[in-house]
Amino acid sequence: MTPTDIPSGRSAAVPTPVPGDPRLARLSLNQKTVDSLGVADAIALCVTAGLRSIGLWREPVRAFGVVETAKLVADAGLRVSSLCRGGFFTSADEEHWAAALADNKRAIEEAATLGADCLVLVAGGLPPGSRDLPSARGRVAEAIGRLVPFARAHRVRLALEPMHPIYTADRGVCATLAEALDLAEHFPVQDVGVVVDSFHVWWDPQLAEQVHRAGDRIAGVQLADWITPLPPDALLSRGMLGDGHIDLRGFIELTGHAGYRGDVEVEIFNADVWSADPHEVVATIRRRYVQHVA
Amino acid sequence: MTPTDIPSGRSAAVPTPVPGDPRLARLSLNQKTVDSLGVADAIALCVTAGLRSIGLWREPVRAFGVVETAKLVADAGLRVSSLCRGGFFTSADEEHWAAALADNKRAIEEAATLGADCLVLVAGGLPPGSRDLPSARGRVAEAIGRLVPFARAHRVRLALEPMHPIYTADRGVCATLAEALDLAEHFPVQDVGVVVDSFHVWWDPQLAEQVHRAGDRIAGVQLADWITPLPPDALLSRGMLGDGHIDLRGFIELTGHAGYRGDVEVEIFNADVWSADPHEVVATIRRRYVQHVA
């Protein structure tokens, strides 16, 4: 584990916190940040780095086995801060709609097996050829209503994630925290919450007001930075903590003032981060987290 | 002028409207859409295409001469739907701040000379190294307050343009129509309005509500489409009308219900559009405008 940095020139003098450093108590690694690793290696990496929590993704979990992953996580003494992800509710086609609901029920079962704090839901984009954003948003509301009883029976909390408006067309029609809360507030707070990711919401003029409003609805918090120039692939445009323009400490303080005390996942979709040595990535995250967040 | 299309497969059967077609009465060409042309050629292109209005940019106007441009526009019988652009108010540095105010006063004088319907203001991004978004937003409010008396004396209407959150960090900290209206409403409606560009605001869950609220504050309307996958250069990511995901007709209807009867500028920053024959681009716009907007 070499504590090299993704260069920013600002953190050279900051030592990497040792495992057990109390400032890392809430830091969780979303496994997408180390996309090249399977579940077992990602869990082992968290343990080596002294992290107490991991955010899991369905595809690698299913590849390894859901029950097997749950056992590995438990044996490692890790919390599962979230399972990513359900959602993609916007199809206008009956067959796809039914398939989406069925797949989300499987995701709920998986989250229950894993003991995940929440199941992250991404709304989904506009259906192919459609320009009807209000209707797509309506289908998201309807789908959540259909899933809540099933989720409640499995004691899984659904967590709707507002996505940056760069993704409204093709990934997530739920574009603001206010919109996510408008949806969530139709349901009991223990059944439906929201995930607040700095990358997705940092620009919002209503951020402070809406995080305050969210309060106990905050089911999860994720961090990535907004970097410029924006990388050419919009999906992989998230930056390492401290490399960009977001006041990450201020963001976490907002969630704290709203009452959130849970895990803070670092989730970075970025080709450079994905091609780096995962141990170095996690060393950088630990150092940057102390420098910019904790 | 060959009426070829930027391929979408949908509009092959739509004839290009002839000059004088009443459906084109409000269509204005923002000269940035034909970025390779100087002022004189852009004006001539509008005349040839039967357009009645043009949106001008300061740099080419100054290269040709402000007074000379005003004369050419008047001789051509065109309206100037807007002058782009002033703004960039967010510097934390006194010297840059003073220079920005001085430059905006020149822009106001130019808009007055041109008889432009409004001067478009882009807020500006975060200052280098800053993560303090609230402060940057505060400077925008302060700058507008400083410019209003000068603009009023020149009978120029300032028009604040909310920009898509993809640009919050590096171009425009004013990210929503609600935020722009919060700023504008400190001033008389004839002094400070807003520009509503489909590309920048289409994703906003509050769009209908805020366009309604805007009412007489709407000083200008611009159109570009949101296309996916997003082109690699974020600045050049705007699409030809009809190539993307925006309900352009619904958008224009919203502005109409809010009382806007003015020009509708087509402003497309896109490398493919910029490298195409400007006459073909304008033919495509006329056809797509009738198909998707008018």
Side-chain angles (χ1 to χ4, degrees), chain B residues 179-219:
Chain B
E179 185 187 3
L181 290 169
D182 287 347
L183 280 169
E185 288 172 355
H186 289 286
F187 307 99
V189 66
Q190 67 274 20
D191 290 337
V192 183
V194 294
V195 173
V196 198
D197 182 320
S198 59
F199 175 90
H200 291 307
V201 302
W202 76 280
W203 56 271
D204 190 345
Q206 294 185 16
L207 182 62
E209 165 191 347
Q210 295 298 328
V211 170
H212 176 76
R213 170 188 169 195
D216 290 346
R217 294 273 170 188
I218 303 176

mmCIF file of all heavy atoms in Angstrom, chain B residues 179-219:
data_model
loop_
_atom_site.group_PDB
_atom_site.id
_atom_site.type_symbol
_atom_site.label_atom_id
_atom_site.label_comp_id
_atom_site.label_asym_id
_atom_site.label_seq_id
_atom_site.Cartn_x
_atom_site.Cartn_y
_atom_site.Cartn_z
ATOM 1 N N GLU B 179 -33.650 30.443 -9.008
ATOM 2 C CA GLU B 179 -32.560 31.267 -8.477
ATOM 3 C C GLU B 179 -32.439 32.569 -9.274
ATOM 4 O O GLU B 179 -32.254 33.652 -8.696
ATOM 5 C CB GLU B 179 -31.259 30.463 -8.554
ATOM 6 C CG GLU B 179 -30.060 31.138 -7.938
ATOM 7 C CD GLU B 179 -28.774 30.368 -8.202
ATOM 8 O OE1 GLU B 179 -28.808 29.341 -8.922
ATOM 9 O OE2 GLU B 179 -27.718 30.808 -7.702
ATOM 10 N N ALA B 180 -32.544 32.478 -10.584
ATOM 11 C CA ALA B 180 -32.471 33.686 -11.412
ATOM 12 C C ALA B 180 -33.611 34.647 -11.079
ATOM 13 O O ALA B 180 -33.405 35.866 -10.994
ATOM 14 C CB ALA B 180 -32.514 33.298 -12.897
ATOM 15 N N LEU B 181 -34.793 34.099 -10.851
ATOM 16 C CA LEU B 181 -35.937 34.960 -10.517
ATOM 17 C C LEU B 181 -35.786 35.562 -9.124
ATOM 18 O O LEU B 181 -36.153 36.727 -8.904
ATOM 19 C CB LEU B 181 -37.242 34.163 -10.633
ATOM 20 C CG LEU B 181 -37.633 33.799 -12.073
ATOM 21 C CD1 LEU B 181 -38.772 32.786 -12.085
ATOM 22 C CD2 LEU B 181 -38.016 35.050 -12.864
ATOM 23 N N ASP B 182 -35.251 34.781 -8.195
ATOM 24 C CA ASP B 182 -34.982 35.337 -6.856
ATOM 25 C C ASP B 182 -34.097 36.582 -6.965
ATOM 26 O O ASP B 182 -34.293 37.563 -6.246
ATOM 27 C CB ASP B 182 -34.288 34.297 -5.966
ATOM 28 C CG ASP B 182 -35.228 33.191 -5.497
ATOM 29 O OD1 ASP B 182 -36.453 33.344 -5.642
ATOM 30 O OD2 ASP B 182 -34.717 32.173 -4.991
ATOM 31 N N LEU B 183 -33.114 36.510 -7.855
ATOM 32 C CA LEU B 183 -32.226 37.660 -8.064
ATOM 33 C C LEU B 183 -32.955 38.788 -8.788
ATOM 34 O O LEU B 183 -32.898 39.952 -8.383
ATOM 35 C CB LEU B 183 -31.016 37.238 -8.899
ATOM 36 C CG LEU B 183 -29.893 36.516 -8.174
ATOM 37 C CD1 LEU B 183 -28.910 35.924 -9.177
ATOM 38 C CD2 LEU B 183 -29.165 37.501 -7.255
ATOM 39 N N ALA B 184 -33.623 38.440 -9.874
ATOM 40 C CA ALA B 184 -34.233 39.467 -10.727
ATOM 41 C C ALA B 184 -35.309 40.247 -9.990
ATOM 42 O O ALA B 184 -35.469 41.464 -10.202
ATOM 43 C CB ALA B 184 -34.819 38.811 -11.985
ATOM 44 N N GLU B 185 -36.027 39.568 -9.103
ATOM 45 C CA GLU B 185 -37.191 40.203 -8.469
ATOM 46 C C GLU B 185 -36.836 41.306 -7.470
ATOM 47 O O GLU B 185 -37.722 41.981 -6.951
ATOM 48 C CB GLU B 185 -38.086 39.132 -7.837
ATOM 49 C CG GLU B 185 -38.839 38.319 -8.894
ATOM 50 C CD GLU B 185 -39.590 37.115 -8.326
ATOM 51 O OE1 GLU B 185 -39.451 36.855 -7.108
ATOM 52 O OE2 GLU B 185 -40.292 36.452 -9.098
ATOM 53 N N HIS B 186 -35.540 41.490 -7.234
ATOM 54 C CA HIS B 186 -35.132 42.655 -6.439
ATOM 55 C C HIS B 186 -35.236 43.952 -7.232
ATOM 56 O O HIS B 186 -35.071 45.035 -6.654
ATOM 57 C CB HIS B 186 -33.679 42.487 -5.957
ATOM 58 C CG HIS B 186 -33.522 41.431 -4.906
ATOM 59 N ND1 HIS B 186 -33.938 41.619 -3.610
ATOM 60 C CD2 HIS B 186 -33.001 40.182 -4.962
ATOM 61 C CE1 HIS B 186 -33.672 40.532 -2.909
ATOM 62 N NE2 HIS B 186 -33.109 39.644 -3.696
ATOM 63 N N PHE B 187 -35.462 43.845 -8.525
ATOM 64 C CA PHE B 187 -35.400 45.018 -9.404
ATOM 65 C C PHE B 187 -36.695 45.129 -10.220
ATOM 66 O O PHE B 187 -37.411 44.152 -10.395
ATOM 67 C CB PHE B 187 -34.191 44.900 -10.338
ATOM 68 C CG PHE B 187 -32.913 44.650 -9.598
ATOM 69 C CD1 PHE B 187 -32.394 43.359 -9.486
ATOM 70 C CD2 PHE B 187 -32.246 45.700 -8.953
ATOM 71 C CE1 PHE B 187 -31.231 43.124 -8.762
ATOM 72 C CE2 PHE B 187 -31.080 45.460 -8.226
ATOM 73 C CZ PHE B 187 -30.574 44.168 -8.136
ATOM 74 N N PRO B 188 -36.976 46.316 -10.749
ATOM 75 C CA PRO B 188 -38.172 46.470 -11.586
ATOM 76 C C PRO B 188 -38.115 45.526 -12.792
ATOM 77 O O PRO B 188 -37.042 45.254 -13.335
ATOM 78 C CB PRO B 188 -38.110 47.936 -12.036
ATOM 79 C CG PRO B 188 -37.284 48.628 -10.992
ATOM 80 C CD PRO B 188 -36.276 47.606 -10.547
ATOM 81 N N VAL B 189 -39.277 45.074 -13.202
ATOM 82 C CA VAL B 189 -39.361 44.058 -14.250
ATOM 83 C C VAL B 189 -38.778 44.555 -15.571
ATOM 84 O O VAL B 189 -38.222 43.779 -16.352
ATOM 85 C CB VAL B 189 -40.823 43.562 -14.398
ATOM 86 C CG1 VAL B 189 -41.720 44.672 -14.920
ATOM 87 C CG2 VAL B 189 -40.912 42.318 -15.253
ATOM 88 N N GLN B 190 -38.883 45.860 -15.820
ATOM 89 C CA GLN B 190 -38.345 46.376 -17.091
ATOM 90 C C GLN B 190 -36.813 46.484 -17.065
ATOM 91 O O GLN B 190 -36.181 46.622 -18.113
ATOM 92 C CB GLN B 190 -38.964 47.727 -17.469
ATOM 93 C CG GLN B 190 -38.599 48.888 -16.555
ATOM 94 C CD GLN B 190 -39.523 48.989 -15.336
ATOM 95 O OE1 GLN B 190 -40.191 48.028 -14.962
ATOM 96 N NE2 GLN B 190 -39.538 50.156 -14.701
ATOM 97 N N ASP B 191 -36.225 46.415 -15.878
ATOM 98 C CA ASP B 191 -34.764 46.527 -15.770
ATOM 99 C C ASP B 191 -34.055 45.174 -15.799
ATOM 100 O O ASP B 191 -32.981 45.034 -16.388
ATOM 101 C CB ASP B 191 -34.388 47.249 -14.477
ATOM 102 C CG ASP B 191 -34.749 48.725 -14.488
ATOM 103 O OD1 ASP B 191 -34.883 49.285 -15.602
ATOM 104 O OD2 ASP B 191 -34.920 49.311 -13.406
ATOM 105 N N VAL B 192 -34.622 44.198 -15.119
ATOM 106 C CA VAL B 192 -33.950 42.890 -15.019
ATOM 107 C C VAL B 192 -34.944 41.769 -15.302
ATOM 108 O O VAL B 192 -35.942 41.604 -14.592
ATOM 109 C CB VAL B 192 -33.319 42.681 -13.622
ATOM 110 C CG1 VAL B 192 -32.576 41.337 -13.581
ATOM 111 C CG2 VAL B 192 -32.358 43.821 -13.273
ATOM 112 N N GLY B 193 -34.641 41.023 -16.336
ATOM 113 C CA GLY B 193 -35.433 39.845 -16.669
ATOM 114 C C GLY B 193 -34.577 38.597 -16.651
ATOM 115 O O GLY B 193 -33.477 38.584 -16.084
ATOM 116 N N VAL B 194 -35.104 37.553 -17.255
ATOM 117 C CA VAL B 194 -34.369 36.292 -17.354
ATOM 118 C C VAL B 194 -34.418 35.791 -18.795
ATOM 119 O O VAL B 194 -35.342 36.108 -19.542
ATOM 120 C CB VAL B 194 -34.954 35.206 -16.421
ATOM 121 C CG1 VAL B 194 -34.767 35.587 -14.959
ATOM 122 C CG2 VAL B 194 -36.428 34.946 -16.726
ATOM 123 N N VAL B 195 -33.392 35.020 -19.154
ATOM 124 C CA VAL B 195 -33.414 34.301 -20.423
ATOM 125 C C VAL B 195 -33.643 32.831 -20.098
ATOM 126 O O VAL B 195 -32.971 32.276 -19.222
ATOM 127 C CB VAL B 195 -32.090 34.465 -21.188
ATOM 128 C CG1 VAL B 195 -32.077 33.556 -22.415
ATOM 129 C CG2 VAL B 195 -31.899 35.906 -21.597
ATOM 130 N N VAL B 196 -34.576 32.233 -20.786
ATOM 131 C CA VAL B 196 -34.895 30.833 -20.526
ATOM 132 C C VAL B 196 -34.490 30.022 -21.756
ATOM 133 O O VAL B 196 -35.052 30.184 -22.831
ATOM 134 C CB VAL B 196 -36.394 30.641 -20.236
ATOM 135 C CG1 VAL B 196 -36.623 29.313 -19.548
ATOM 136 C CG2 VAL B 196 -36.936 31.773 -19.370
ATOM 137 N N ASP B 197 -33.475 29.188 -21.575
ATOM 138 C CA ASP B 197 -32.935 28.372 -22.665
ATOM 139 C C ASP B 197 -33.300 26.919 -22.386
ATOM 140 O O ASP B 197 -32.971 26.386 -21.320
ATOM 141 C CB ASP B 197 -31.412 28.551 -22.714
ATOM 142 C CG ASP B 197 -30.750 27.783 -23.854
ATOM 143 O OD1 ASP B 197 -31.161 26.636 -24.132
ATOM 144 O OD2 ASP B 197 -29.802 28.321 -24.458
ATOM 145 N N SER B 198 -33.961 26.296 -23.345
ATOM 146 C CA SER B 198 -34.449 24.923 -23.132
ATOM 147 C C SER B 198 -33.332 23.994 -22.668
ATOM 148 O O SER B 198 -33.535 23.162 -21.787
ATOM 149 C CB SER B 198 -35.084 24.384 -24.424
ATOM 150 O OG SER B 198 -34.147 24.392 -25.483
ATOM 151 N N PHE B 199 -32.149 24.119 -23.259
ATOM 152 C CA PHE B 199 -31.028 23.246 -22.901
ATOM 153 C C PHE B 199 -30.683 23.373 -21.422
ATOM 154 O O PHE B 199 -30.339 22.387 -20.765
ATOM 155 C CB PHE B 199 -29.807 23.618 -23.752
ATOM 156 C CG PHE B 199 -28.547 22.883 -23.397
ATOM 157 C CD1 PHE B 199 -28.235 21.673 -24.006
ATOM 158 C CD2 PHE B 199 -27.656 23.399 -22.468
ATOM 159 C CE1 PHE B 199 -27.057 20.994 -23.683
ATOM 160 C CE2 PHE B 199 -26.483 22.735 -22.144
ATOM 161 C CZ PHE B 199 -26.184 21.527 -22.754
ATOM 162 N N HIS B 200 -30.764 24.582 -20.899
ATOM 163 C CA HIS B 200 -30.328 24.809 -19.519
ATOM 164 C C HIS B 200 -31.369 24.399 -18.480
ATOM 165 O O HIS B 200 -30.998 24.049 -17.358
ATOM 166 C CB HIS B 200 -29.976 26.289 -19.320
ATOM 167 C CG HIS B 200 -28.744 26.716 -20.042
ATOM 168 N ND1 HIS B 200 -27.546 26.070 -19.916
ATOM 169 C CD2 HIS B 200 -28.506 27.740 -20.898
ATOM 170 C CE1 HIS B 200 -26.631 26.668 -20.661
ATOM 171 N NE2 HIS B 200 -27.189 27.675 -21.281
ATOM 172 N N VAL B 201 -32.639 24.476 -18.820
ATOM 173 C CA VAL B 201 -33.670 24.342 -17.781
ATOM 174 C C VAL B 201 -34.633 23.164 -17.977
ATOM 175 O O VAL B 201 -35.462 22.917 -17.103
ATOM 176 C CB VAL B 201 -34.497 25.637 -17.661
ATOM 177 C CG1 VAL B 201 -33.602 26.829 -17.339
ATOM 178 C CG2 VAL B 201 -35.307 25.902 -18.925
ATOM 179 N N TRP B 202 -34.517 22.433 -19.058
ATOM 180 C CA TRP B 202 -35.547 21.450 -19.402
ATOM 181 C C TRP B 202 -35.747 20.381 -18.337
ATOM 182 O O TRP B 202 -36.844 19.852 -18.171
ATOM 183 C CB TRP B 202 -35.189 20.768 -20.724
ATOM 184 C CG TRP B 202 -34.111 19.749 -20.595
ATOM 185 C CD1 TRP B 202 -32.777 19.986 -20.524
ATOM 186 C CD2 TRP B 202 -34.268 18.328 -20.497
ATOM 187 N NE1 TRP B 202 -32.087 18.810 -20.395
ATOM 188 C CE2 TRP B 202 -32.991 17.772 -20.370
ATOM 189 C CE3 TRP B 202 -35.374 17.466 -20.500
ATOM 190 C CZ2 TRP B 202 -32.774 16.397 -20.248
ATOM 191 C CZ3 TRP B 202 -35.161 16.094 -20.372
ATOM 192 C CH2 TRP B 202 -33.875 15.579 -20.263
ATOM 193 N N TRP B 203 -34.694 20.036 -17.619
ATOM 194 C CA TRP B 203 -34.683 18.940 -16.645
ATOM 195 C C TRP B 203 -35.366 19.331 -15.333
ATOM 196 O O TRP B 203 -35.615 18.471 -14.483
ATOM 197 C CB TRP B 203 -33.228 18.587 -16.321
ATOM 198 C CG TRP B 203 -32.519 19.826 -15.847
ATOM 199 C CD1 TRP B 203 -31.863 20.739 -16.623
ATOM 200 C CD2 TRP B 203 -32.511 20.345 -14.520
ATOM 201 N NE1 TRP B 203 -31.439 21.803 -15.847
ATOM 202 C CE2 TRP B 203 -31.812 21.578 -14.557
ATOM 203 C CE3 TRP B 203 -33.005 19.885 -13.306
ATOM 204 C CZ2 TRP B 203 -31.632 22.356 -13.409
ATOM 205 C CZ3 TRP B 203 -32.815 20.654 -12.169
ATOM 206 C CH2 TRP B 203 -32.118 21.885 -12.248
ATOM 207 N N ASP B 204 -35.642 20.600 -15.110
ATOM 208 C CA ASP B 204 -36.015 21.125 -13.792
ATOM 209 C C ASP B 204 -37.420 20.680 -13.405
ATOM 210 O O ASP B 204 -38.384 21.012 -14.095
ATOM 211 C CB ASP B 204 -35.922 22.653 -13.824
ATOM 212 C CG ASP B 204 -36.061 23.283 -12.452
ATOM 213 O OD1 ASP B 204 -36.509 22.608 -11.507
ATOM 214 O OD2 ASP B 204 -35.713 24.474 -12.326
ATOM 215 N N PRO B 205 -37.552 19.951 -12.295
ATOM 216 C CA PRO B 205 -38.896 19.540 -11.866
ATOM 217 C C PRO B 205 -39.813 20.734 -11.622
ATOM 218 O O PRO B 205 -41.029 20.593 -11.680
ATOM 219 C CB PRO B 205 -38.647 18.774 -10.559
ATOM 220 C CG PRO B 205 -37.201 18.429 -10.556
ATOM 221 C CD PRO B 205 -36.494 19.447 -11.395
ATOM 222 N N GLN B 206 -39.254 21.901 -11.355
ATOM 223 C CA GLN B 206 -40.049 23.106 -11.108
ATOM 224 C C GLN B 206 -40.256 23.932 -12.378
ATOM 225 O O GLN B 206 -40.672 25.102 -12.288
ATOM 226 C CB GLN B 206 -39.363 23.996 -10.064
ATOM 227 C CG GLN B 206 -39.283 23.397 -8.673
ATOM 228 C CD GLN B 206 -38.704 24.400 -7.670
ATOM 229 O OE1 GLN B 206 -38.642 25.602 -7.915
ATOM 230 N NE2 GLN B 206 -38.257 23.883 -6.543
ATOM 231 N N LEU B 207 -39.943 23.385 -13.547
ATOM 232 C CA LEU B 207 -39.935 24.215 -14.753
ATOM 233 C C LEU B 207 -41.268 24.927 -14.991
ATOM 234 O O LEU B 207 -41.308 26.158 -15.172
ATOM 235 C CB LEU B 207 -39.565 23.367 -15.975
ATOM 236 C CG LEU B 207 -39.489 24.152 -17.279
ATOM 237 C CD1 LEU B 207 -38.403 25.219 -17.214
ATOM 238 C CD2 LEU B 207 -39.264 23.231 -18.470
ATOM 239 N N ALA B 208 -42.359 24.172 -15.013
ATOM 240 C CA ALA B 208 -43.656 24.785 -15.329
ATOM 241 C C ALA B 208 -43.987 25.882 -14.319
ATOM 242 O O ALA B 208 -44.395 26.994 -14.690
ATOM 243 C CB ALA B 208 -44.747 23.712 -15.348
ATOM 244 N N GLU B 209 -43.796 25.556 -13.063
ATOM 245 C CA GLU B 209 -44.110 26.503 -11.982
ATOM 246 C C GLU B 209 -43.253 27.770 -12.088
ATOM 247 O O GLU B 209 -43.742 28.895 -11.915
ATOM 248 C CB GLU B 209 -43.858 25.743 -10.669
ATOM 249 C CG GLU B 209 -43.757 26.502 -9.406
ATOM 250 C CD GLU B 209 -43.228 25.577 -8.274
ATOM 251 O OE1 GLU B 209 -43.190 24.330 -8.449
ATOM 252 O OE2 GLU B 209 -42.822 26.122 -7.230
ATOM 253 N N GLN B 210 -41.976 27.608 -12.394
ATOM 254 C CA GLN B 210 -41.086 28.767 -12.428
ATOM 255 C C GLN B 210 -41.257 29.592 -13.703
ATOM 256 O O GLN B 210 -41.091 30.812 -13.673
ATOM 257 C CB GLN B 210 -39.629 28.325 -12.250
ATOM 258 C CG GLN B 210 -39.346 27.704 -10.882
ATOM 259 C CD GLN B 210 -39.589 28.678 -9.717
ATOM 260 O OE1 GLN B 210 -39.392 29.890 -9.842
ATOM 261 N NE2 GLN B 210 -40.048 28.146 -8.595
ATOM 262 N N VAL B 211 -41.562 28.955 -14.820
ATOM 263 C CA VAL B 211 -41.846 29.728 -16.038
ATOM 264 C C VAL B 211 -43.118 30.552 -15.821
ATOM 265 O O VAL B 211 -43.185 31.727 -16.200
ATOM 266 C CB VAL B 211 -41.971 28.811 -17.275
ATOM 267 C CG1 VAL B 211 -42.510 29.592 -18.476
ATOM 268 C CG2 VAL B 211 -40.625 28.196 -17.618
ATOM 269 N N HIS B 212 -44.095 29.939 -15.193
ATOM 270 C CA HIS B 212 -45.318 30.685 -14.861
ATOM 271 C C HIS B 212 -44.989 31.869 -13.961
ATOM 272 O O HIS B 212 -45.460 32.993 -14.178
ATOM 273 C CB HIS B 212 -46.325 29.745 -14.193
ATOM 274 C CG HIS B 212 -47.568 30.443 -13.732
ATOM 275 N ND1 HIS B 212 -48.558 30.831 -14.596
ATOM 276 C CD2 HIS B 212 -47.965 30.848 -12.503
ATOM 277 C CE1 HIS B 212 -49.519 31.441 -13.929
ATOM 278 N NE2 HIS B 212 -49.188 31.461 -12.646
ATOM 279 N N ARG B 213 -44.184 31.608 -12.940
ATOM 280 C CA ARG B 213 -43.773 32.686 -12.030
ATOM 281 C C ARG B 213 -43.038 33.787 -12.791
ATOM 282 O O ARG B 213 -43.225 34.980 -12.512
ATOM 283 C CB ARG B 213 -42.861 32.102 -10.940
ATOM 284 C CG ARG B 213 -42.173 33.141 -10.069
ATOM 285 C CD ARG B 213 -41.146 32.469 -9.149
ATOM 286 N NE ARG B 213 -40.293 33.455 -8.494
ATOM 287 C CZ ARG B 213 -39.150 33.174 -7.876
ATOM 288 N NH1 ARG B 213 -38.723 31.920 -7.819
ATOM 289 N NH2 ARG B 213 -38.433 34.133 -7.324
ATOM 290 N N ALA B 214 -42.218 33.403 -13.753
ATOM 291 C CA ALA B 214 -41.395 34.371 -14.476
ATOM 292 C C ALA B 214 -42.261 35.426 -15.183
ATOM 293 O O ALA B 214 -41.990 36.626 -15.099
ATOM 294 C CB ALA B 214 -40.492 33.655 -15.475
ATOM 295 N N GLY B 215 -43.307 34.971 -15.866
ATOM 296 C CA GLY B 215 -44.224 35.920 -16.503
ATOM 297 C C GLY B 215 -43.483 36.978 -17.305
ATOM 298 O O GLY B 215 -42.674 36.657 -18.192
ATOM 299 N N ASP B 216 -43.739 38.224 -16.983
ATOM 300 C CA ASP B 216 -43.140 39.338 -17.720
ATOM 301 C C ASP B 216 -41.634 39.461 -17.520
ATOM 302 O O ASP B 216 -40.992 40.303 -18.172
ATOM 303 C CB ASP B 216 -43.787 40.662 -17.292
ATOM 304 C CG ASP B 216 -45.219 40.770 -17.767
ATOM 305 O OD1 ASP B 216 -45.610 39.964 -18.644
ATOM 306 O OD2 ASP B 216 -45.945 41.653 -17.275
ATOM 307 N N ARG B 217 -41.082 38.685 -16.618
ATOM 308 C CA ARG B 217 -39.611 38.685 -16.462
ATOM 309 C C ARG B 217 -38.918 37.997 -17.627
ATOM 310 O O ARG B 217 -37.697 38.089 -17.758
ATOM 311 C CB ARG B 217 -39.208 37.949 -15.184
ATOM 312 C CG ARG B 217 -39.647 38.601 -13.904
ATOM 313 C CD ARG B 217 -38.644 39.623 -13.412
ATOM 314 N NE ARG B 217 -39.212 40.401 -12.317
ATOM 315 C CZ ARG B 217 -38.650 41.471 -11.783
ATOM 316 N NH1 ARG B 217 -37.489 41.911 -12.238
ATOM 317 N NH2 ARG B 217 -39.235 42.125 -10.809
ATOM 318 N N ILE B 218 -39.646 37.255 -18.417
ATOM 319 C CA ILE B 218 -38.997 36.542 -19.521
ATOM 320 C C ILE B 218 -38.573 37.556 -20.577
ATOM 321 O O ILE B 218 -39.395 38.096 -21.313
ATOM 322 C CB ILE B 218 -39.921 35.468 -20.136
ATOM 323 C CG1 ILE B 218 -40.378 34.481 -19.052
ATOM 324 C CG2 ILE B 218 -39.191 34.729 -21.261
ATOM 325 C CD1 ILE B 218 -41.382 33.443 -19.548
ATOM 326 N N ALA B 219 -37.287 37.798 -20.640
ATOM 327 C CA ALA B 219 -36.738 38.780 -21.583
ATOM 328 C C ALA B 219 -36.284 38.114 -22.869
ATOM 329 O O ALA B 219 -36.105 38.789 -23.885
ATOM 330 C CB ALA B 219 -35.565 39.506 -20.929
#
